[in-house]
């Protein structure tokens, strides 16, 4: 007869627990913790990749050697990756030979281990699912590493808390991005991508390879705002820097569907939106500011701004924005809204490292730190970054036409050094100059001076500046009529060079697009157009 004393009951309870609730983790047994890993799935995956070609093509871009936990598996996948990139067959013999030639066969477990990997595979249908689980374990290991580093830094009193936050966000962003892009690429991979891009560009009739500004002549010279580039747009106060960049943001978002992030440190978000509304509805900015609109202007306003509600433009008007805050906000916008263009208005109103160590109390060094950080941000997020900048007073004291120069950039020469493009906005009418050297009218016009361009020529572009609407547009732009079909403005009011022709004609004047004009050096006798 079986005993029912407490000791026997305890033994039966323990026996039952051991059979049904066996702990699966070392931490449950008090033996510490192991990093997240899936060695069985790694073995199944590698074995499948050496058996069939199709699974390899599906996961080769998802995995990296360091994604695997065991060093032997890292070496084996490195061999598989090398064979794949060289367009050589991948199987047990080729992988074994590759490891032997590179001296990694013993580290990979030897020929017998490779054979075991292939013999254990029963099906290759779940390879992609296995790969994703392996990646998840790899990401967990990265997160553990980052959190341990942040915990260590947080205990140090000498570390600035905002630097820790910035570093944490940067590390987490890089972990998220590591799933879809590699840390380095071979020359063959880069060449393939370069050729693919050239073929795509050749098929594009417009010639635009970046984010369009919407200004025909400017886009012809720059092919749009290019990814990873820092563009500085500088001018003296009153030249229309904000009007130019707001017009460009509107064009990129509404006409071409690109998401834009606009950081305004000078104006409030309501003021910026009022400018966009004025430019879009072509109602005087002063009337919008005062709220004095005629009935037909209200109708005009509601008709024209309907599409603005869907515009992918995101405005942040945080004053005295620091570079750390800017980076954090841009990373979130990139992840949540997939922004393709970042605009800062303007650079001199930003603050640098809040700890004060980077700038050392020197404003010029602080501006240099900000410009370098903006360039790094453009590369990190793979988007163009446009930063507006002020010019110093030397342009006002200079004689002649007072055109700005690179040396006029305010507070730091590092801006010129870090920028891929530097553009100046120059309106001669501001200085009382209304005709050019040939006697042609330049009233109501603004010149975009390309002072630096790492990837192209230094060609200047003339645009029309309509002060009443606080907007820039192409020279051939025509304002639309009011609700009664009457023209609201004539060309002479807008500073168009064709105003004298208009005075003798009652009909509207329409000028052809500059995209259809021949080049300036075109010879009709020797060159077909």
């Amino acid at each position: 007869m079986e005993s029912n004393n407490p000791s026997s009951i305890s033994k039966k309870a323990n026996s039952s627990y051991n059979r049904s609730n066996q702990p699966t983790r070392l931490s449950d047994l008090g033996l510490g913790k192991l990093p997240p890993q899936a060695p069985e799935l790694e073995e199944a995956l590698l074995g499948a990749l050496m058996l069939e070609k199709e699974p390899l093509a599906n996961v080769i871009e998802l995995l990296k050697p360091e994604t695997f936990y065991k060093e032997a598996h890292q070496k084996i996948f490195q061999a598989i990756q090398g064979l794949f990139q060289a367009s050589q067959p991948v199987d047990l013999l080729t992988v074994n030979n590759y490891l032997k030639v590179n001296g990694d066969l013993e580290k990979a477990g030897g020929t017998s281990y490779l054979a075991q990997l292939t013999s254990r595979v029963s099906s290759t249908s779940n390879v992609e699912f296995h790969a994703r689980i392996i990646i998840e374990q790899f990401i967990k290991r990265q997160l553990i590493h980052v959190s341990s580093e942040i915990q260590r830094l947080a205990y140090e009193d000498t570390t600035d808390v905002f630097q820790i936050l910035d570093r944490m966000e940067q590390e987490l962003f890089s972990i998220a991005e590591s799933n879809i892009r590699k840390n380095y690429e071979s020359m063959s991979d880069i060449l393939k991508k370069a050729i693919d891009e050239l073929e795509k560009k050749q098929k594009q009739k417009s010639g635009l390879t970046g984010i369009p500004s919407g200004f025909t002549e400017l886009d012809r010279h720059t092919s749009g705002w290019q990814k990873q580039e820092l563009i500085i747009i500088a001018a003296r106060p009153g030249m229309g820097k904000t009007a130019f960049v707001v017009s460009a943001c509107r064009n990129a978002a509404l006409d071409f569907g690109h998401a834009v992030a606009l950081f305004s440190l000078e104006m409030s978000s309501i003021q910026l939106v009022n400018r966009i509304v004025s430019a879009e509805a072509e109602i005087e900015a002063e009337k919008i500011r005062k709220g004095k609109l005629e009935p037909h202007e209200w109708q005009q306003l509601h008709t024209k701004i309907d599409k603005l509600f869907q515009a992918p433009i995101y405005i942040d008007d945080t004053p005295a924005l620091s570079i750390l805050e800017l980076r954090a906000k841009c990373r979130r916008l990139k992840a949540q809204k997939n922004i393709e263009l970042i605009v800062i208005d303007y650079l001199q109103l930003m603050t640098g490292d809040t700890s004060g160590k980077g700038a050392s109390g020197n404003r010029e060094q602080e501006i240099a730190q900000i410009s370098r950080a903006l360039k790094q941000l453009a590369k990190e997020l793979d988007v163009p970054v446009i930063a507006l900048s002020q010019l110093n007073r030397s342009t006002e004291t200079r004689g002649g036409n007072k055109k700005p120069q690179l040396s006029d950039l305010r507070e730091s020469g590092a801006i010129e050094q870090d920028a891929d493009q530097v553009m100046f906005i120059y309106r001669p009418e501001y200085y009382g100059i209304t005709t050019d050297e040939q006697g042609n009218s330049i009233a109501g016009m603004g010149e975009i001076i390309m002072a630096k361009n790492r990837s192209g020529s230094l060609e200047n572009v003339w645009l029309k500046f309509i002060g009443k609407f606080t907007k820039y547009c192409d020279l051939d732009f025509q304002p639309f009529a009011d609700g009664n079909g009457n023209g609201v403005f004539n060309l002479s009011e807008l500073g168009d060079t064709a105003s004298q022709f208009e005075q003798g004609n009652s009909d509207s004047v329409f000028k052809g697009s500059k995209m259809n004009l021949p080049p300036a050096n075109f010879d009709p006798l020797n060159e077909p157009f």
Side-chain angles (χ1 to χ4, degrees), residues 146-157 159 164 167:
V146 171
S147 60
S148 299
E149 183 66 13
I150 292 170
Q151 188 178 28
R152 182 186 65 81
L153 292 172
Y155 276 108
E156 293 183 5
D157 295 333
T159 308
I164 298 175
R167 179 169 176 178

Side-chain angles (χ1 to χ4, degrees), residues 47-64:
L49 297 184
M50 289 188 286
L51 285 178
E52 290 191 18
K53 183 178 181 181
E54 185 177 349
L56 176 60
N58 293 334
V59 301
I60 192 70
E61 292 297 325
L62 299 175
L63 300 168
K64 296 174 288 188

